[in-house]
């Protein structure tokens, strides 16, 4: 990003509504964040946030999903604009950007009606960005809850991978990859089931875990953390960790999952346990004959941990953990955790927002062009959308 454009972005940000204590000092040497309120009342729930270059100007825009609407906030001044409103079954719950029709402009896959029938749509723009977008149906999957684009089938083009929350066939969730047809409006989207044995799958994540140039899927479910990968013999499922071992089914396993890497080369999987859970956990790579990854609880005592990301916030080569929780009395919000050893077993805690963001979802990426990733978070009980600008160490 040019210096002039970067200056314009920061000048524009200063015009937005900021909390009086907007510059949040980290506990020690992590980074400082400037809090910007993008929308104080975006909807009943801000279910999901993502990033996409909606207007094709080379800048990432912020996209937010509420129960009735999908909105985008246009960079660099974050002007709010509507993509759709009241055009899908209640509630919208997840979104994933991708150029679906091949016209060089970003479209969106969207999950809606998730507590009832579960509908999967894709959205394409009208003749101009001032018009409502068109909604096309891909299919239905009861309890549709999360979706991401990844080439899990190895075809050279990404598929839309959808995970429902609760069991859809027998005792398991039908984790499905939908392929974009030649005519995505009229053609049927072929579906490949990757797995259907795990239940209460709150989230999934795509990454090449074993460095074999093939995209894998990490899942967080009632059964724990699993790796699902494509092999010459078919789909293989390997357990990474048990998750928390609660007495009741709702108190077992994991609910969120992301993978990061430390400067030492050690891979770290971060989870929230159980689903909507109280504990933040890391798994580090197994040693010797050890089958499961080593599980370490790094913080606990939360109510409804619900959002998770890993990114190098301060440029030291270590990915930090960004965690959001929504119901912990008085302290709900966003926290950053920094690794304090090369093995990922010792972490320090740095509160970014305490009491101002009942965090339902968050995403981390450099939106200002200064090399430091920023945080975008959407609220549940707080009904808001915030940007936390990373000012660096």
């Amino acid at each position: 990003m040019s210096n002039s454009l970067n200056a314009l972005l920061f000048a524009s940000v200063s015009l937005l509504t900021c909390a009086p204590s907007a510059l949040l000092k980290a506990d020690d040497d992590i980074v400082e964040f400037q809090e910007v309120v993008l929308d104080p009342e975006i909807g009943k729930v801000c279910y999901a946030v993502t990033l996409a270059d909606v207007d094709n100007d080379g800048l990432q825009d912020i996209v937010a999903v509420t129960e009735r609407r999908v909105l985008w906030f246009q960079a660099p001044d974050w002007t709010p604009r509507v993509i759709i409103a009241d055009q899908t079954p209640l509630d919208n719950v997840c979104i994933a950007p991708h150029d679906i029709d091949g016209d060089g402009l970003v479209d969106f896959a969207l999950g809606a009606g998730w507590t009832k029938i579960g509908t999967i749509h894709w959205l394409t723009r009208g003749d101009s960005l001032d018009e409502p977008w068109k909604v096309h149906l891909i299919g239905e999957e009861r309890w549709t809850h999360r979706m991401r684009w990844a080439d899990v089938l190895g075809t050279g083009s990404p598929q839309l991978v959808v995970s429902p929350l609760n069991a859809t066939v027998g005792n398991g969730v039908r984790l499905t990859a939908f392929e974009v047809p030649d005519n995505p409006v009229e053609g049927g989207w072929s579906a490949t089931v990757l797995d259907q044995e795990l239940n209460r799958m709150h989230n999934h994540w795509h990454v090449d875990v074993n460095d074999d140039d093939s995209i894998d899927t990490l899942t967080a479910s009632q059964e724990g953390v699993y790796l699902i990968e494509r092999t010459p013999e078919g789909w293989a499922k390997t357990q990474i960790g048990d998750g928390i071992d609660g007495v009741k089914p709702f108190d077992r396993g994991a609910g969120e999952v992301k993978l990061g890497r430390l400067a030492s080369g050690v891979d770290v999987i971060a989870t929230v346990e159980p689903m909507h859970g109280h504990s933040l956990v890391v798994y580090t790579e197994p040693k010797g004959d050890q089958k499961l990854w080593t599980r370490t609880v790094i913080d606990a005592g939360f109510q409804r941990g619900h959002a998770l990301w890993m990114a190098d916030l301060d440029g030291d080569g270590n990915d930090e953990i960004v965690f959001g929780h929504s119901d912990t009395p008085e302290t709900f919000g966003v926290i950053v955790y920094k690794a304090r050893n090369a093995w990922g077993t010792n972490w320090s805690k740095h509160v970014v927002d305490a009491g101002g963001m009942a965090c339902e979802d968050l995403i981390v990426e450099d939106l200002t062009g200064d090399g430091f990733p920023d945080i975008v978070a959407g609220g549940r009980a707080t009904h808001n959308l915030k940007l936390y600008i990373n000012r660096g160490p």
Side-chain angles (χ1 to χ4, degrees):
M1 183 183 294
S2 68
N3 290 335
S4 59
L5 187 54
N6 203 22
L8 174 60
L9 188 147
F10 286 119
S12 301
V13 163
S14 67
L15 298 177
L16 294 172
T17 303
C18 293
S21 58
L23 196 60
L24 302 174
K25 180 72 174 178
D27 292 343
D28 47 29
D29 62 344
I30 177 69
V31 289
E32 294 181 351
F33 290 94
Q34 179 183 351
E35 177 187 294
V36 180
V37 179
L38 300 177
D39 194 324
E41 192 67 35
I42 194 170
K44 183 179 178 182
V45 180
C46 184
Y47 276 103
V49 291
T50 192
L51 305 172
D53 184 3
V54 180
D55 53 0
N56 205 35
D57 66 351
L59 299 177
Q60 289 285 75
D61 306 299
I62 295 170
V63 180
V65 173
T66 74
E67 70 280 2
R68 294 181 176 275
R69 300 188 297 169
V70 178
L71 303 99
W72 67 288
F73 294 77
Q74 188 173 18
D77 59 357
W78 312 120
T79 302
R81 305 181 68 171
V82 175
I83 292 179
I84 64 167
D86 297 311
Q87 293 167 252
T88 50
L90 287 175
D91 286 353
N92 299 319
V93 71
C94 55
I95 193 165
H98 178 60
D99 179 9
I100 294 172
D101 55 12
D103 65 355
L105 302 173
V106 71
D107 308 299
F108 295 95
L110 179 72
W114 76 279
T115 59
K116 299 179 179 66
I117 55 174
T119 53
I120 305 168
H121 310 267
W122 73 278
L123 315 178
T124 187
R125 66 196 65 211
D127 293 333
S128 77
L129 288 172
D130 295 321
E131 298 180 8
W133 290 40
K134 300 172 184 176
V135 179
H136 307 281
L137 183 66
I138 296 174
E140 295 182 1
E141 184 69 15
R142 191 161 48 95
W143 290 108
T144 288
H145 189 248
R146 295 290 183 260
M147 55 175 51
R148 305 187 187 281
W149 291 95
D151 185 14
V152 295
L153 302 182
T155 65
S157 299
Q159 300 85 45
L160 179 65
V161 183
V162 177
S163 57
L165 177 64
N166 293 319
T168 48
V169 285
N171 294 320
V173 162
R174 187 158 47 196
L175 179 68
T176 305
F178 293 89
E179 293 184 77
V180 181
D182 292 336
N183 185 336
V185 175
E186 298 180 2
W189 292 52
S190 61
T192 300
V193 176
L194 312 185
D195 187 77
Q196 53 185 10
E197 296 177 347
L198 304 173
N199 191 20
R200 296 187 70 76
M201 187 182 294
H202 194 261
N203 217 330
H204 69 272
W205 186 246
H206 301 294
V207 66
D208 182 3
V209 175
N210 43 26
D211 295 323
D212 63 354
D213 296 321
S214 179
I215 299 299
D216 309 310
T217 304
L218 285 172
T219 65
S221 69
Q222 180 178 286
E223 292 79 9
V225 182
Y226 278 80
L227 169 67
I228 298 174
E229 56 185 326
R230 177 173 46 86
T231 72
E233 293 76 31
W235 295 100
K237 182 163 77 257
T238 305
Q239 189 171 19
I240 297 289
D242 288 324
I244 199 165
D245 186 17
V247 176
K248 299 179 181 179
F250 291 178
D251 296 331
R252 298 174 189 163
E256 290 291 326
V257 62
K258 293 291 186 298
L259 183 141
R261 179 163 288 182
L262 303 182
S264 61
V266 170
D267 284 338
V268 174
I269 295 174
T271 65
V272 176
E273 300 182 0
M275 189 186 91
H276 295 175
H278 46 72
S279 296
L280 183 63
V281 176
V282 295
Y283 290 88
T284 48
E285 298 175 73
K287 299 177 182 178
D289 296 333
Q290 184 179 340
K291 180 180 179 182
L292 299 181
W293 289 38
T294 301
R295 179 180 183 269
T296 303
V297 178
I298 63 172
D299 206 356
F302 303 103
Q303 291 186 20
R304 205 171 182 277
H306 206 267
L308 198 61
W309 205 269
M310 292 198 72
D312 184 0
L313 298 176
D314 54 5
D316 68 351
N318 291 313
D319 283 341
E320 279 74 47
I321 299 170
V322 186
F323 166 65
H325 54 119
S326 67
D327 290 14
T328 312
E330 299 181 0
T331 64
F332 55 80
V334 178
I335 306 173
V336 169
Y337 295 82
K338 182 176 179 62
R340 291 303 181 189
N341 62 21
W343 305 277
T345 56
N346 187 3
W347 299 73
S348 60
K349 179 177 181 177
H350 315 269
V351 176
V352 177
D353 190 333
M357 167 56 62
C359 190
E360 180 79 0
D361 192 27
L362 60 79
I363 191 169
V364 181
E365 190 170 317
D366 179 14
L367 296 177
T368 64
D370 63 358
F372 295 110
D374 310 295
I375 303 171
V376 178
R380 191 174 184 88
T382 48
H383 319 298
N384 52 354
L385 178 70
K386 290 185 181 183
L387 165 66
Y388 305 92
I389 299 174
N390 184 347
R391 295 300 196 183

